[in-house]
Amino acid sequence: LHFIASSPDLAKEVGDFKSFTARRIIDELKNRGSRQALRMLKRFKARHKTDREYQLWQEGSKPKMIEGDEMMRQKLEYTHYNPVKRGYVDDPTHWRYSSARNYAGGDGLLSVVTDW
């Protein structure tokens, strides 16, 4: 997951987001009886994380300050072309979970501020 966000305390907001979404996703996997997915999340949990049984989000991802328009364009391009590089789609706007649709003037799944 890649996203660009703004907040007075971005590290806290990202931490809260990761905690909330991990809990909800893990609970949903348990409710659905998705044992294989839960086994994978348990296996990939960092050994030093003794406060949890599963780990959903990758360790070490930290928010980075975007310093200027050029850096913003680079981050957007990286984010939008990631599904293309992975071979999921041929065009960034075809990835339904991407803001590339919004930047191309279309409707995405979420509203996105494109005039930064």
Side-chain angles (χ1 to χ4, degrees), residues 80-94:
H80 290 163
Y81 278 89
N82 205 3
V84 175
K85 290 177 188 171
R86 293 290 206 141
Y88 300 144
V89 292
D90 293 326
D91 183 289
T93 60
H94 296 164

Side-chain angles (χ1 to χ4, degrees), residues 27-95:
D27 287 348
E28 184 63 23
L29 290 172
K30 287 178 178 179
N31 288 338
R32 291 180 181 214
S34 301
R35 290 179 295 212
Q36 184 176 354
L38 290 167
R39 273 195 302 272
M40 286 176 53
L41 294 177
K42 186 181 269 191
R43 187 175 60 211
F44 293 116
K45 178 182 76 74
R47 287 192 176 122
H48 69 278
K49 297 286 187 173
T50 58
D51 63 335
R52 65 196 71 171
E53 187 175 2
Y54 306 103
Q55 183 160 342
L56 183 79
W57 295 109
Q58 179 181 353
E59 281 287 311
S61 48
K62 304 286 185 224
K64 295 174 180 70
M65 175 71 76
I66 294 180
E67 300 172 351
D69 289 350
E70 184 177 333
M71 186 177 188
M72 177 68 136
R73 275 192 273 295
Q74 185 272 330
K75 297 299 181 193
L76 279 170
E77 187 171 306
Y78 173 83
T79 300
H80 290 163
Y81 278 89
N82 205 3
V84 175
K85 290 177 188 171
R86 293 290 206 141
Y88 300 144
V89 292
D90 293 326
D91 183 289
T93 60
H94 296 164
W95 187 247

Side-chain angles (χ1 to χ4, degrees), residues 13-33:
E13 297 290 340
V14 169
D16 289 350
F17 170 82
K18 289 169 73 173
S19 177
F20 175 80
T21 54
R23 178 79 277 137
R24 295 289 300 264
I25 291 168
I26 290 166
D27 287 348
E28 184 63 23
L29 290 172
K30 287 178 178 179
N31 288 338
R32 291 180 181 214

